[in-house]
Amino acid sequence: SSYKQIADDVNNFVKLKLDHFSIEGIEAKTIHDPIWGSTGYSEWEMQLIDSPLIQRLRNISQVGLAVLTYPAARHSRFEHTLGVAAATKRLVDRINTNCEKFKIEADIKNKLVLAAIMHDAGHCFYSHLSESIYGNLKDFSELKNDIKKIYGVKPKAHEILSLVIVNSDAFKKFFSERVNYPNKSNINRLCEDVGKIIIGVNIMDGETIESYQTSIINGSFDVDKLDYIKRDSYTAGLALDFDIERLFTKIKVHTLSVDGQVEHRLVIQANGVTAIEELTFCQIILFSYIYYHQKVLITEDMIKDYVQALLKLD
């Protein structure tokens, strides 16, 4: 099947990246960032962040070829990944402060941070530009259909690759044998959950729908958006801003009953809706000014034409 073929290729790629990587001497670190300030990353987080699997993201442009139009937007998927992990830590802590009866336990927080670190591991050259090419190739189109049948969702191509990376034998071997993750009692279940979170599938705990876990990483107002909207506009020099503190103050996990099932859902309080409106407005402007800028679209089409020509040569 297309899944097995791509999974085998991905496993070989992950093996190549991680087989000779040593975690010796890697310690917890504080990293400074213009968007989130100073954030502490634990030993196990740094062991993943310092691995070639995540370090390769330093060479992948966050905004694709928009850098040719906005010369200062030279940031990579690596900075964005650190930012998403930083935002995850802050958001989980704020939810725990905001909720009187609901608490996100340390195990779940670690799982969400792991998903944040791995969420863009599947990105290729120029980010979304390359996935618009390989995502439409025959094998990958079949894989997308397989994913839709299995999980009932239609994730982006890079999210599918991230899912396959996290669930590869090579990654699980590296993670279980070398990364000092706090609780490795069920690596298969952990990696399965992380993959689901990345592609936007709700996590089940027995009969309870833990949809908040997926919503934090891949949802309507997730940490991915919180980071890229701030970061991309900041580096491009666009004066876009939304009240992130108000958003964090008003965000909660609400317990409700859906068709007889208990669901823990990520919600925003009614008096915090203005923060979501600001976020949505900034996202619309960002797409209009950067991603859909006519010069950006033209340069991306040129690269697509080059790649299509190369594929025909093969």
Side-chain angles (χ1 to χ4, degrees), residues 88 91-92 95-96 99 102-109 111-112 197 201-205 208-223 251-256 262-267:
T88 302
L91 185 58
V92 169
I95 288 169
N96 283 344
C99 296
F102 187 86
K103 286 287 173 282
I104 298 175
E105 301 297 334
D107 267 7
I108 305 299
K109 182 179 180 180
K111 177 168 71 174
L112 293 172
I197 288 169
V201 175
N202 285 339
I203 301 300
M204 298 293 295
D205 183 8
T208 308
I209 307 165
E210 304 288 0
S211 65
Y212 78 91
Q213 295 181 22
T214 302
S215 296
I216 286 173
I217 304 292
N218 189 346
S220 307
F221 41 95
D222 57 45
V223 286
I251 210 161
K252 281 187 170 183
V253 173
H254 180 63
T255 304
L256 65 160
V262 174
E263 180 182 354
H264 294 136
R265 185 182 293 177
L266 191 69
V267 297

Side-chain angles (χ1 to χ4, degrees), residues 17-18 21-29 31 41-55 78 82 113-114 117-118 171 174-182 184:
K17 289 288 178 191
L18 297 178
F21 170 63
S22 169
I23 62 159
E24 197 176 330
I26 296 176
E27 299 173 345
K29 268 184 194 169
I31 298 176
Y41 298 87
S42 69
E43 185 185 60
W44 76 261
E45 290 161 9
M46 287 312 305
Q47 287 166 347
L48 268 182
I49 290 165
D50 279 354
S51 74
L53 200 58
I54 301 300
Q55 287 293 313
F78 180 72
L82 293 179
V113 173
L114 175 58
I117 292 170
M118 298 304 296
F171 178 79
F174 164 75
F175 193 77
S176 61
E177 290 178 6
R178 284 186 269 168
V179 176
N180 298 332
Y181 190 78
K184 294 196 272 196

Side-chain angles (χ1 to χ4, degrees), residues 3 8 128 250 277:
Y3 187 97
D8 286 346
H128 296 292
K250 301 298 177 185
E277 289 171 343

Side-chain angles (χ1 to χ4, degrees), residues 282-299:
C282 287
Q283 190 179 18
I284 291 166
I285 296 294
L286 199 62
F287 270 78
S288 173
Y289 275 51
I290 299 183
Y291 317 131
Y292 293 159
H293 189 288
Q294 73 271 22
K295 287 179 184 171
V296 175
L297 295 178
I298 288 164
T299 50

